[in-house]
Amino acid sequence: MLSPSPVELARAGVAYPGGVQGLADVDLTVAESEILGIIGESGAGKSTLLNLLTGEVAATSGSVTVLGSDIGRLDRAGLRRLRREIGVVFQGVHLLSNRTVRQNVEVALSLRPRQERTASAVDDVLRFVGLDHRADAYPAQLSGGQRQRVGIARALVSRPRLLLCDEPTSALDAATAGEVLDLLRDARDRFGTTIVIVTHDLDVVRGVCDRVALFEDGRLVDILAVAPSARGGRETYLDRARRELGG
Ligand SMILES: Nc1ncnc2c1ncn2[C@@H]1O[C@H](COP(=O)(O)OP(=O)(O)OP(=O)(O)O)[C@@H](O)[C@H]1O
């Protein structure tokens, strides 16, 4: 039997108290190992969608199935178990400032049941994000891009099957953002992680997404395959400045 898709929304809706419709009638399936972009203007429902997938927000209509579990039917323990399978990466990652890079990642791993932790998990993931040489540094000693890579290491250390990213590159310059996107793609290629990325940046979609879902006023209005030709080589920040600002 085929394993179920990691994310399946069937006519899912969220009506917030007060009557605002955060999402309405969303049918959406994300395939195993897919990288899906979510775009839309402010208020379109992007955060509501991410919060639905983690169970922070409950659907008030339709159903939301994540990694084979119908979220609406899970009890608290079931929801906790499911959340352990989901990694999250947010914009402006919050690291513990008085802990080293290694300790920040260890804290994330300590949330896993003991029998699922491997001795080399932290070293492996630090090597994967290219920060093994900075393991003993403190967050204040890192660049913004390096801090975001620690955030990704924290999210990946427990090998989640699903990774949710909310504006993962918005605080970064183009070159550093490109490195972070390369890392997300590597995670998919190496671990088979399914990734959902909320972004306002079409370069992020172009750079890493297989498909992109377009939201407007809480509705999924279109879903597009990202053309491979749209990817191409990444333009540097200075090249872009020359193209956009030059005479
Ligand atoms: N907790 C809440 N209570 C009431 N209404 C809410 C709540 N959270 C979001 N909304 C409303 O639901 C709609 C969708 O909001 P959401 O935050 O999901 O949009 P978004 O696309 O993430 O926006 P942004 O890009 O500004 O973060 C908006 O009209 C918003 O005002």
Side-chain angles (χ1 to χ4, degrees), residues 204-238:
V204 170
V205 173
R206 227 177 262 127
V208 76
C209 294
D210 301 309
R211 289 189 305 157
V212 59
L214 281 51
F215 281 79
E216 186 172 53
D217 295 334
R219 292 186 178 273
L220 172 58
V221 292
D222 215 345
I223 185 148
L224 311 171
V226 179
S229 60
R231 297 227 174 89
R234 194 172 293 112
E235 196 176 30
T236 68
Y237 177 60
L238 293 186

Side-chain angles (χ1 to χ4, degrees), residues 8-14 21 23-28 49 52 59-64 218:
E8 287 183 9
L9 275 66
R11 305 208 63 185
V14 174
Q21 193 73 34
L23 283 177
D25 265 343
V26 175
D27 286 311
L28 176 66
L49 178 74
L52 259 187
T60 51
S61 57
S63 67
V64 178

Side-chain angles (χ1 to χ4, degrees), residues 89-90 93 95 101 104-105 125-134 142-157 168-169 172 175-184 186:
V89 174
F90 291 117
V93 54
L95 301 177
V101 166
N104 267 278
V105 178
V125 81
L126 286 177
R127 205 170 311 116
F128 175 73
V129 302
L131 284 179
D132 39 333
H133 64 298
R134 303 292 279 151
L142 302 178
S143 68
Q146 288 173 329
R147 277 199 286 274
Q148 189 58 296
R149 281 194 270 157
V150 180
I152 292 174
R154 268 195 328 197
L156 289 179
V157 69
T169 59
L172 307 175
T176 315
E179 288 168 18
V180 167
L181 295 182
D182 287 345
L183 209 48
L184 295 177
D186 287 351

